[in-house]
Every structure is written in C-alpha cells, then in structure tokens.
Amino acid sequence: MEWCSAPTEKLRVNGAALEYACYGPLPSEAPTIVLLHEGLGCTALWRDFPSRLAERTGLGVLVYSRQGYGKSDPVSLPRPLDFQTREALDVLPGVLDVTGVDRAILFGHSDGATIAAIYAGSVEDRRVRGLILEAPHFFTEPSGLASIAAAREAYESGDLKAKMAKYHLDPDGAFKGWNGAWLDPGFAAWNVAEVIDYFRVPILAIQGRQDQYGTMAQIEEIENRAYCPVDTLILDCEHAPHQESPEPVLDVVGEYCARLIRIEAAQVIPA
C-alpha cells in the first residue's frame, strides 16, 4: 500500500476495495490514529482534519471509507441491524492488518465511535493503545431517532441527496443503508453499552451539548461503566465537534496522544 494522502490504489479487505488516505509518519515510525467516520461520512468528508491532526500530534493518521461510502465498493441493502458490530469485528482488524498499523489509537465519530468501541471492548488486540470516542452511540434515544427520521425527509424532499452525491459514488446506498437500519422498528432496542465494561485502554470522550443525534447520557454511560481512565471534552456545538470546534478538539486530542506516548515510553524497573 502507499502511505500518502492520494494513493493510486485502494485497500483490499475481505474482497472489497476501500478508499483511504494517510498522513504523517509511517506505522513503523510512530503510532497511528485511525479515523472511523460517521454514518453518512467518508474519507473526503473529514476535510482537512486528518492532515491537521497529523501535524498537531506528530503521529500518523489513517482514514478510510467503509464499504458503501465515498469511493469504496458499494454494499448490498438492507444493512443488517448489527452492521456496526460486523464492521468492528469483520473489517477493522483487516484494515489494521493490510496497512501495517501495529500501534493504533482508534478515533471514531458517531457510528465510527461505536465501531471503535465495539472493537476495543470485544477483541483483545494489543495494537489498540487508546480510544477517542466523538459523539458515540451505545443505545438508541428517542430524540436521536427523531433527528434520523428528519434526515430521511431532507434526503427525500430536500437537497441532502445532491450534497451526498458529491462525495459518495452511491449516495442512495450510503444514506439508505444507514437510515434504514436506524429507523427499523427492531433497532429501537439496540444496546451495545456492555462493551464499555471491557475497555482496557485510556479513553477520551468528546461530545457536543447540542448534539441532535445523541445526548450526554452516552458519555455518562462511559463514565459510569469504564474501569480505565476516562477524559471528557464537552463543547457547545452539535454532532461534529471536530468540524464545529476544531481547535479545542485538536488541542485536547494532542494532549491525550502525548500522554499515551509518555506512558508507553516510561520504563518500569522491578524492585
């Protein structure tokens, strides 16, 4: 693979071609922040955040579009209701394998945060050194489901489809795969909060107070259940703090990553 911001080929994981981009040092030279996008996101929709993150932290940054998003291969619909668990257990480890990332800090946004959390809480993978969860979802909330229903109206009757077509080869697949799963009646009882009980790496949780898709209850679930260190950054913004309030996010993420590196560098000398 090519470690650059505009690779000429895609990643091949489980037979699917996945769009990706890389910034900063190689995995052999420094830990790598792996960015996992939201339910309607993709590589391009992180905009300049990955490059700024690499510059601020001095670490490598890997971003990729999950199957069905961006310029990655399309996906069959409907998505299964456990699609986030499948992405975490069946795809994410393959991405780490093919990219050679052996010291990973998983940074997920929204559905991407849930995928990162499921992986960290389900798989004993020593490559994962830290966990940054931005606007995570561990269970459904009525207000969040109402916002997702409103997004369907915007897609069917507004300009959301045209906006998504600028970034996704298959905007219908990207939108309907996400929206259809979340609004399925069977999804109302979805709850993966148990994975928090098994976190064994330091956590940074980021949330906007005005997040239209999730409330502070998601962050409180982490604080109440986690046995490992938890730092939080709560901002006066909506669902995408890294876009709406990038400077405080970059500052706190930079401090968090620097602390992880200091901890790893410390040598414990037996008495």
Side-chain angles (χ1 to χ4, degrees):
M1 65 161 291
E2 302 168 87
W3 193 268
C4 63
S5 60
T8 57
E9 297 184 357
K10 298 177 181 179
L11 299 177
R12 300 292 305 190
V13 179
N14 298 343
L18 305 181
E19 173 191 28
Y20 79 101
C22 304
Y23 303 84
L26 292 161
S28 60
E29 299 169 351
T32 304
I33 300 171
V34 181
L35 293 176
L36 303 165
H37 64 74
E38 63 175 315
L40 297 181
C42 64
T43 295
L45 283 169
W46 285 100
R47 306 188 189 282
D48 66 347
F49 186 73
S51 61
R52 296 184 69 189
L53 188 59
E55 181 179 1
R56 185 68 61 94
T57 63
L59 304 182
V61 175
L62 166 68
V63 55
Y64 70 97
S65 299
R66 298 191 294 275
Q67 188 174 358
Y69 295 98
K71 294 180 174 62
S72 293
D73 280 353
V75 68
S76 299
L77 298 182
R79 283 188 180 274
L81 300 190
D82 64 345
F83 71 96
Q84 294 168 96
T85 297
R86 296 190 187 201
E87 286 285 347
L89 303 185
D90 299 341
V91 182
L92 180 54
V95 171
L96 300 181
D97 290 342
V98 300
T99 56
V101 172
D102 59 358
R103 291 172 292 166
I105 299 169
L106 302 181
F107 183 151
H109 174 218
S110 190
D111 279 11
T114 304
I115 291 166
I118 291 171
Y119 189 70
S122 302
V123 178
E124 187 177 349
D125 188 341
R126 296 184 184 278
R127 293 178 295 186
V128 177
R129 309 299 177 84
L131 195 58
I132 303 172
L133 304 177
E134 180 186 30
H137 306 291
F138 296 102
F139 44 83
T140 58
E141 298 179 274
S143 58
L145 293 176
S147 293
I148 293 171
R152 181 172 59 189
E153 292 297 319
Y155 190 82
E156 293 175 348
S157 305
D159 61 355
L160 180 56
K161 182 174 182 176
K163 290 180 178 179
M164 289 188 60
K166 297 177 182 179
Y167 299 99
H168 301 280
L169 291 178
D170 180 12
D172 281 344
F175 182 83
K176 293 178 181 179
W178 165 78
N179 194 263
W182 273 91
L183 294 182
D184 188 291
F187 201 76
W190 173 81
N191 188 315
V192 295
E194 182 184 10
V195 299
I196 300 170
D197 301 340
Y198 300 96
F199 290 168
R200 293 298 180 265
V201 294
I203 305 159
L204 171 60
I206 303 171
Q207 181 76 19
R209 289 189 179 90
Q210 290 81 44
D211 189 337
Q212 64 272 43
Y213 292 106
T215 71
M216 287 297 298
Q218 307 288 338
I219 304 303
E220 291 164 2
E221 193 79 8
I222 300 172
E223 294 176 316
N224 292 336
R225 298 184 73 145
Y227 289 92
C228 45
V230 178
D231 291 323
T232 60
L233 174 63
I234 310 302
L235 296 165
D236 286 317
C237 64
E238 295 185 340
H239 188 57
H242 71 277
Q243 292 178 349
E244 300 165 52
S245 301
E247 286 303 322
V249 171
L250 287 167
D251 286 344
V252 172
V253 170
E255 293 168 2
Y256 168 84
C257 292
R259 186 166 68 250
L260 282 183
I261 292 171
R262 288 196 301 271
I263 292 171
E264 290 219 350
Q267 297 295 319
V268 179
I269 303 175

